[in-house]
Amino acid sequence: MPLLHDKLVPPPMPHCVVARPRLNDHFGLDARVRLLLVQAPAGYGKTTLVAERLPALEQEAAWLCLEPQDNQPERFLAYWREALNALIAEPLSPLATHGDCTSQLEQWLSELPSSRQACRLVIDAFEHINHPDLLAGLVYWLRHQPSWLTLTLLTRSRPSLGLASLRLRGELEEIDLTALAMDAEEAHTLCAEQLSFPPTRVSLERALRRSGGWALALNWLVERTTTRAGFDALVDRLSGAHPDFVAWFDDRLASDVADEDRSLLLQLGVLERFSPALVARLLEGERLTQRVAALEQAGMFIERPDPHAQWFRFHRLFAEYLRHRRHELSVATQRALHRQASQAWLALEDPAMALRQAILADARDDVAELIAQQGPSLLANGAYALMAQGLALLGEPRIAAVPALTLMYGWVSHAQFQFERTARAIGWIEAQLESPPWQALNAEFATLRAQLAINQGNAERAAPLAEAALQSPAHYLATTPLTATSILSEARFVQGYLDESLSRVREVEREARQREDHQRLLWAFCHQSEILVAQGRLQAAYDIQERAFAHLEHAELEHLPVAEFLNRIRSQVLWEWQRLDEAEQAALKGIAVLDNQGERWTLQCHIQLAKVAQSRGDQAQCADHIRRLRKILAEGDYHIDWVANAHATLLAWWQSTNDLDAVARWQQEAPPPALQSATNHFSQCNVRNHARALTLLGRGDDASALLEALEQHTVRLGLVTDANRNQLCLAAARWGAGDTDAASGHLHTALQLASKTGLTGSFLRLGKPLGPMLKRLAAATPLAPLEQSRLERLLVLATRQRDFGSAVQLMLDESVIADIVSRPEVPELIRTSPLTRREWQILGLIHAGLSNEQIAEQLSVAPTTIKTHIRSLYQKQNIRRREEAIHLAGQLLAHIQAE
């Protein structure tokens, strides 16, 4: 039988290959491991991974790629023999003309050497093999395989090779779709290799969440993108219902799934997750659980989130595809399935999933009953967006007629910052409060009114309402007393009474712990952290956050909105300490929590990302975050806390880009500086924003007057962190006005306060003037050792700050590069060995004086990737040293900048 040579060699590598050393541990050549199984659906990069990793790890291997027609004993064994012969000195005996597979494999086992250097036999596309004789023979082979050989199978489906026994004996190593899913670093590298621009971390993280790290989907994104805006837009359209993915999944199902199982998949598509017990409740038919297990084994994009539990879910894109294809079922069938699913979830005591299915079934009576009966549980689990969908289905007339539904409407709209709807619900309450059914919820209604008042900044109205709520028994929401106490604590915080606020929130913590109210307990931790930050105790705030994260993980509540709150305030502390990577990661985690609820909820986390990018001097990323920030601000109506924080970041951006016109426009449109009510960090921030704007516009005396008035509150109320920031702004204002002695005095006071607060990021926000101010202070004023140490560290950090206005930029437009290359004065090597767009970019950054690590940070790729590009650049241009690259870049940049 003639054999095809190309089936016995590794396939050619794609144009762009992302190295994945994090998976190296799976490739250890251990004498105990008989089988390495790489199993995942199509498009996960199984073949590319093994073909790239084995040479990198210097592991000798023979390769065999199978096709459907190889599912015949004679053909398979002929190729198997040829692949093995590549690993041994003496060829195996010819294939026998009679006998079964097991006998033939036994014969060859006896001919293999007893020892040799460890190596692999790689069998690609093993999903084509299901012949019983072949599988039985391979089970026997694995049992007696020599210790120097590791069989490596790449397959879409799970083979019937006694994997359970191998796993229990420690003889099986597995790489599944979870391990194969690309992580953030790998996705960054993929984009860096193929795109001329670095997508923002937010967009890339969102792409990873939507694609599940599926390499095929990420490549689809990259290949169709030419701009950062285009990338963002395509991420928004990344869905299993996109025509490209619909066609791809259609082909997979047509070739791999029988008609009856395709119908089963469509029916299972109504569920976000499922178990054998749930499937048995939902569907009728025989052998359902076995059929579901068979679909999972066949690689039908079914995941098992917990390998130790019998719960499954579809890959996100495949689930979207199934929902898209559900129109093949009649509307009546779909609604019946959803209603059955709702009842099944309710029986399994999961009201959120039950409500989701009732909404999809358009069963309005069921929705009303679920929200009224399960509302407290749904609120406790943060199901705000889901409840909002259900309430929208019911309509306001029906909601306004039922006290419990009105209360739920009020809390849900409040949680989504739709305060006008909350006020409308309170209007319905006040109009019917004399009716006995409404009077029964008096405590709950008073608490809701108090919450709206505090969110409107009216602490004086909120406090008595919360106290009144505590005087009445709660009949519906058992958490009402805790919530009312929390509001009292928040009101005292807004009024500046930090010690009383801290005392009350610790009371909330104790009570929440006793009641096992996890969401309220996490809120109590977060609020304590905010109070401690206001008191200048950032380390204590960080320690409280550590307790909150431990509880968050223990209670498995990472999906709740309060997790975004926790990640956001963690990011704020880390930014102050200039732990930028950690600050960025915390903000990204916060965005991930709320990703499905809409971008408007992530404003605070986007503020943090902009601050981190600016601190790093990453102008492109910072500009993108600022654009996104302004877009989110324009689309919503936010509390002054969020607005003031956003405006502070915008002012820092305009200062760095010297955009004084934007500063002047902001001053005309911003919330006015309310000095009398500046008893909390956000009101202080708003006034401070006005002072910073005045300073930037050359009105340092006016800024100083505003800040001096502001300081009266910080001294009276102990707002230490705000006092520290105010002193920095005063230093900047006096420096800008030419009063350097007063500026040094304020800066000295700020350094003294920083010995307690630990602020660093706020110092660096002063920008270019910080370095000269610190040097003058050091020369003119004796400092305590701790202050001197902090000043020296700030000086180092200040010198590292990048000035956006003076950055040298190399244009990467193809037409510009083509024009440069065509010039007679450009070196011949540039024309004969043209640089890639990425190499042009790196050449410009080398000229700017950045190290490899800094270039890697600037382009959001791994340092090893930069080294690869630099090596290629040097080879093309016959460069041996960095100085030569800098000289070449200087010549080219001079040609560009001359125009």
Side-chain angles (χ1 to χ4, degrees), residues 276-326:
L278 184 61
V279 171
R281 285 177 178 273
L282 177 61
L283 304 175
E284 295 181 0
E286 297 181 355
R287 300 179 60 254
L288 282 174
T289 55
Q290 293 93 325
R291 288 168 61 193
V292 172
L295 288 169
E296 183 208 8
Q297 185 171 341
M300 275 296 103
F301 292 88
I302 297 176
E303 305 171 347
R304 194 192 295 249
D306 182 352
H308 308 294
Q310 288 294 317
W311 280 95
F312 305 91
R313 68 184 179 202
F314 290 113
H315 183 283
R316 175 170 178 159
L317 292 177
F318 189 58
E320 291 167 348
Y321 162 78
L322 292 176
R323 285 197 290 274
H324 171 76
R325 279 294 182 210
R326 204 176 302 159

Side-chain angles (χ1 to χ4, degrees), residues 435-635:
S435 174
W438 294 76
Q439 281 184 344
L441 301 186
N442 191 53
E444 286 88 339
F445 290 148
T447 305
L448 176 63
R449 292 157 75 192
Q451 185 66 72
L452 179 62
I454 197 70
N455 280 99
Q456 291 174 333
N458 192 343
E460 286 69 23
R461 173 172 167 77
L465 283 168
E467 289 170 340
L470 289 170
Q471 303 304 314
S472 303
H475 295 292
Y476 178 61
L477 278 177
T479 57
T480 294
L482 264 182
T483 306
T485 305
S486 302
I487 294 168
L488 262 180
S489 172
E490 205 167 344
R492 297 298 182 239
F493 177 68
V494 170
Q495 292 168 330
Y497 303 127
L498 301 184
D499 289 337
E500 181 185 347
S501 180
L502 189 59
S503 173
R504 287 188 180 276
V505 77
R506 285 174 174 164
E507 179 186 336
V508 172
E509 178 194 342
R510 288 190 296 271
E511 185 67 23
R513 198 182 294 281
Q514 289 177 3
R515 289 175 172 267
E516 296 187 346
D517 185 340
H518 301 299
Q519 189 167 203
R520 188 57 56 183
L521 178 59
L522 286 169
W523 178 89
F525 284 138
C526 292
H527 191 50
Q528 283 183 69
S529 172
E530 288 206 303
I531 297 168
L532 292 167
V533 167
Q535 292 178 329
R537 300 159 62 188
L538 269 69
Q539 183 61 56
Y542 182 89
D543 294 341
I544 285 286
Q545 292 169 12
E546 285 289 278
R547 291 170 58 193
F549 277 112
H551 186 76
L552 192 75
E553 183 178 353
H554 169 73
E556 299 181 348
L557 299 176
E558 291 90 345
H559 64 285
L560 290 185
V562 72
E564 182 273 336
F565 185 12
L566 178 57
N567 277 291
R568 177 213 314 162
I569 59 176
R570 166 55 62 91
S571 180
Q572 290 168 353
V573 171
L574 291 169
W575 176 81
E576 272 296 358
W577 292 344
Q578 289 295 283
R579 289 163 58 176
L580 300 180
D581 289 347
E582 295 170 80
E584 179 185 54
Q585 198 56 44
L588 289 169
K589 286 180 180 177
I591 290 173
V593 172
L594 300 179
D595 189 42
N596 292 329
Q597 299 194 34
E599 195 174 53
R600 70 188 302 262
W601 314 113
T602 62
L603 175 65
Q604 289 270 52
C605 289
H606 280 291
I607 293 169
Q608 285 304 115
L609 291 174
K611 288 162 64 176
V612 168
Q614 186 171 19
S615 295
R616 286 175 172 160
D618 190 338
Q619 184 177 16
Q621 293 278 349
C622 189
D624 192 81
H625 290 311
I626 291 293
R627 281 194 295 271
R628 196 183 297 263
L629 185 60
R630 298 182 73 175
K631 173 178 172 288
I632 297 172
L633 271 176
E635 293 175 351

Side-chain angles (χ1 to χ4, degrees), residues 616-619 800-803 806-809 841-860 866 870 874 882-883 885-886 889:
R616 286 175 172 160
D618 190 338
Q619 184 177 16
R800 292 178 185 170
Q801 285 188 298
R802 299 175 193 164
D803 180 8
S806 62
V808 176
Q809 296 180 5
Q841 199 167 23
I842 289 172
L843 188 60
L845 293 171
I846 288 174
H847 179 266
L850 274 65
S851 67
N852 287 3
E853 291 72 20
Q854 289 171 322
I855 295 173
E857 179 185 323
Q858 182 83 2
L859 301 181
S860 301
I866 297 301
I870 291 176
Y874 282 12
R882 203 174 189 90
E883 291 76 11
I886 292 171

